[in-house]
Amino acid sequence: MVSHPLQCLTFSLLILPPLILSTYFLAAFPKPPEPLYMHSSLASLPKTSKTWEIYPEDFYPNGAYVAFPSGRVRYWLLGPEEGRKIVLIHGLSIPAMIWKNIAPELASRGYRVLLYDLYGRGYSDAPQTTYDANLYVTQLALLMQYLKWDRALITGVSMGGGIAAAFTGSFPHLVEDQIVLIASAGLIETNDLPRTAKFMSSPLVQTVAASAPVRKYLQGLINSTHHAEKDQLDPIIVRMQSAHLPGYNAALSSSLRDGPIRGQAAALSSTGFKNRKVLLIHGTKDQTVFYKYASKILETLPPETQTQSQLVTVEDGGHDLTITHSDLIVQNLLAFYAGPKPTA
């Protein structure tokens, strides 16, 4: 009988505190979600920055900003308002300036051309989030809704091709029947990603690369460079974004690890691509997205789409076809789009 109170006390001391603590944590209401942190864009740099010489805010005419839940987006509209609508989606590292030789030509031929900087690049904000297909697809869908565009011809280069695939799979009603994929990612196998890219995209390396001392060092290198030739501006804009934008390297890293450069087989084979026409343009010497992926994309499309699609092979062409073979790109786009307009 003496041990009974002792047992009760032992039970109280050993069992009750964890039980009460567990009940508290299970019943506790969570804190409200933190707002999405936004890293600055090129718009934050002073107008005296060399970046503004290479890629100014008014690089294209008729530019504007629009704010969405994942950040502010910079876009431009070229060509007549009544023209057939085209969206041009840039790739992994170079913002909308990659279309500098393409967009004005399409606009001069009567097309209404939409260009924009993807999140984390150029003049669009860099949200601190995962840069997966959903982020990019939602960005374009919201932009088209904001502009009151019901449908558009979708054209993407490099990772922009992967975004075009994901967008068509997710929002087929917003896409006209003709889609163009230039040097397109979307099906890259992990083994084909360079070891350097894998290493540089690791979270640890990105933390170091985004640190203030490293960016300060890069800024010093940029400021010491001489004025670049016109054909050398694209690699310089990559270095400038890396040096000046805290969220740029993280955006590239997440895009490589989580983004639409891989894993788009389901989108490409989905009903979203059924009975559409796809034009693939790819260079045989592409060392970023190997030429073999053009055929893989074509083979992944629905059977009826394969028969209506075509692959334009650019002999000895590299990855930067929109710069090195812009005339060929324009000619093929105009010829491809010249077919009968899709029914509404």
Side-chain angles (χ1 to χ4, degrees):
M1 297 295 293
V2 178
S3 62
H4 181 65
L6 227 57
Q7 290 175 343
C8 291
L9 181 61
T10 302
F11 175 81
S12 300
L13 292 175
L14 296 180
I15 305 299
L16 286 179
L19 187 62
I20 294 171
L21 202 58
S22 299
T23 304
Y24 170 77
F25 281 118
L26 288 172
F29 201 72
K31 292 182 179 179
E34 295 287 337
L36 190 61
Y37 184 80
M38 295 291 171
H39 291 288
S40 56
S41 71
L42 291 179
S44 65
L45 300 182
K47 298 293 177 71
T48 55
S49 169
K50 283 189 176 183
T51 308
W52 285 75
E53 298 177 16
I54 296 172
Y55 185 45
E57 202 173 30
D58 58 352
F59 189 83
Y60 300 106
N62 197 24
Y65 288 97
V66 57
F68 297 136
S70 293
R72 202 168 66 144
V73 174
R74 179 68 175 177
Y75 70 92
W76 299 264
L77 288 168
L78 282 65
E81 292 186 12
E82 67 278 5
R84 196 175 176 196
K85 300 175 178 65
I86 299 178
V87 177
L88 300 179
I89 311 172
H90 69 76
L92 178 71
S93 57
I94 301 174
M97 66 182 295
I98 197 71
W99 299 105
K100 60 188 176 184
N101 298 330
I102 309 292
E105 287 295 322
L106 295 176
S108 70
R109 301 299 185 98
Y111 289 93
R112 183 66 163 173
V113 182
L114 168 63
L115 307 108
Y116 66 104
D117 284 341
L118 296 172
Y119 284 127
R121 286 82 168 174
Y123 291 95
S124 291
D125 285 344
Q128 190 167 300
T129 188
T130 301
Y131 283 71
D132 57 12
N134 288 335
L135 178 73
Y136 294 120
V137 163
T138 303
Q139 181 185 16
L140 178 53
L142 289 174
L143 185 55
M144 288 182 64
Q145 181 189 52
Y146 174 77
L147 296 173
K148 296 181 174 58
W149 280 25
D150 295 329
R151 300 177 83 191
L153 299 161
I154 305 297
T155 296
V157 62
S158 191
M159 188 184 76
I163 296 172
F167 185 80
T168 303
S170 299
F171 297 105
H173 61 286
L174 298 179
V175 182
E176 285 203 17
D177 291 344
Q178 293 158 293
I179 301 161
V180 179
L181 306 176
I182 304 169
S184 180
L187 295 182
I188 296 180
E189 297 170 4
T190 304
N191 291 338
D192 281 338
L193 289 174
R195 290 182 181 178
T196 304
K198 294 177 185 176
F199 175 75
M200 292 302 294
S201 67
S202 68
L204 177 60
V205 173
Q206 286 307 311
T207 299
V208 174
S211 65
V214 172
R215 288 193 295 108
K216 195 73 175 176
Y217 171 73
L218 292 174
Q219 291 167 17
L221 289 179
I222 292 295
N223 292 333
S224 65
T225 57
H226 298 291
H227 182 72
E229 296 297 328
K230 184 177 181 181
D231 293 339
Q232 300 174 328
L233 297 184
D234 295 330
I236 290 179
I237 196 64
V238 171
R239 294 197 291 269
M240 284 186 167
Q241 289 176 105
S242 183
H244 291 290
L245 303 184
Y248 176 72
N249 288 326
L252 264 60
S253 170
S254 183
S255 296
L256 285 169
R257 299 168 72 89
D258 312 301
I261 67 168
R262 304 180 295 164
Q264 297 309 309
L268 288 162
S269 61
S270 70
T271 55
F273 273 88
K274 190 174 181 179
N275 292 321
R276 295 185 187 274
K277 296 178 181 178
V278 179
L279 172 65
L280 294 128
I281 306 176
H282 218 111
T284 58
K285 296 292 182 65
D286 192 330
Q287 297 301 308
T288 302
V289 182
F290 298 144
Y291 176 70
K292 66 179 181 180
Y293 286 112
S295 297
K296 285 183 179 290
I297 290 174
L298 196 57
E299 294 165 1
T300 306
L301 297 171
E304 60 273 23
T305 302
Q306 293 180 29
T307 60
Q308 301 181 90
S309 301
Q310 57 181 303
L311 168 60
V312 174
T313 297
V314 183
E315 294 296 337
D316 297 327
H319 190 62
D320 299 328
L321 295 178
T322 59
I323 302 299
T324 60
H325 293 72
S326 57
D327 290 342
L328 181 147
I329 298 292
V330 170
Q331 290 170 12
N332 278 278
L333 289 180
L334 291 174
F336 184 65
Y337 291 145
K341 294 183 180 180
T343 56

